[in-house]
Amino acid sequence: MTAPAPDLSALRGLHLPTGGNSAVQPEMVAAIVLGFALALLVGLIRLLRARRGASLRRAALRELALASQLEPEARRVAQARLLRRVVRTLKGEEAARTRGPAWAATLDTTFATDFFRNGPGRVFADDLYRRPKSVDPTAVDPAAIDAGLGRMLSQIRA
């Protein structure tokens, strides 16, 4: 003989956990408040990071514009100082202390480019403190340097 099929009428109805008769449970309210607070905190952190990057970008572009009004030699020095400050802000003091080819590599890594090792920006690593030649056929176009620096500085994301 087979056992009779179970009857669904014997099942108990669904019920909320005991802890009060009100629809508002303290644990649920605490979880909602905690989730909302964490979402606000994450949003605030993202906002502060975006502002930091934007303010660094604005300051760097403003200094680059001021440097473009200087004489060619003074312009290069001002741009080199600006690059040191930007690298110091983004990568730290150790990265800003490098010299020569290591400095060019640091700049290229910071700005994700090869502008300083293989492009016109190599003047900041190799030729910045050399005495300028009267007529140098390999001299880099100052407009190309200014345009390249402006493009890189406008892409700063801190």
Side-chain angles (χ1 to χ4, degrees), residues 48-111:
L48 291 175
R49 283 187 174 180
R51 282 192 177 176
R52 177 179 169 235
S55 64
L56 174 63
R57 182 175 44 251
R58 276 194 304 266
L61 289 172
R62 184 175 45 247
E63 285 192 43
L64 183 64
L66 291 174
S68 69
Q69 299 170 0
L70 300 173
E71 295 295 318
E73 289 179 33
R75 177 188 302 184
R76 286 300 152 253
V77 172
Q79 289 170 339
R81 287 180 181 158
L82 171 63
L83 288 171
R84 290 274 179 197
R85 283 194 308 271
V86 168
V87 168
R88 183 175 294 117
T89 302
L90 294 175
K91 300 287 183 173
E93 187 67 37
E94 188 67 30
R97 285 191 199 138
T98 58
R99 302 278 185 239
W103 174 239
T106 300
L107 286 169
D108 281 339
T109 320
T110 302
F111 295 107

Side-chain angles (χ1 to χ4, degrees), residues 115-136:
F115 182 78
F116 298 98
R117 281 181 286 194
N118 302 322
R122 68 181 169 273
V123 298
F124 295 107
D126 300 333
D127 303 332
L128 186 63
Y129 300 105
R130 288 185 187 166
R131 182 173 291 248
K133 298 176 184 173
S134 57
V135 176
D136 186 4

Side-chain angles (χ1 to χ4, degrees), residues 3 18 21 24 49 62 96 99 112-115 128 131 156-157:
T18 59
N21 294 334
V24 179
R49 283 187 174 180
R62 184 175 45 247
R99 302 278 185 239
T113 184
D114 66 343
F115 182 78
L128 186 63
R131 182 173 291 248
I156 290 176
R157 302 270 184 258

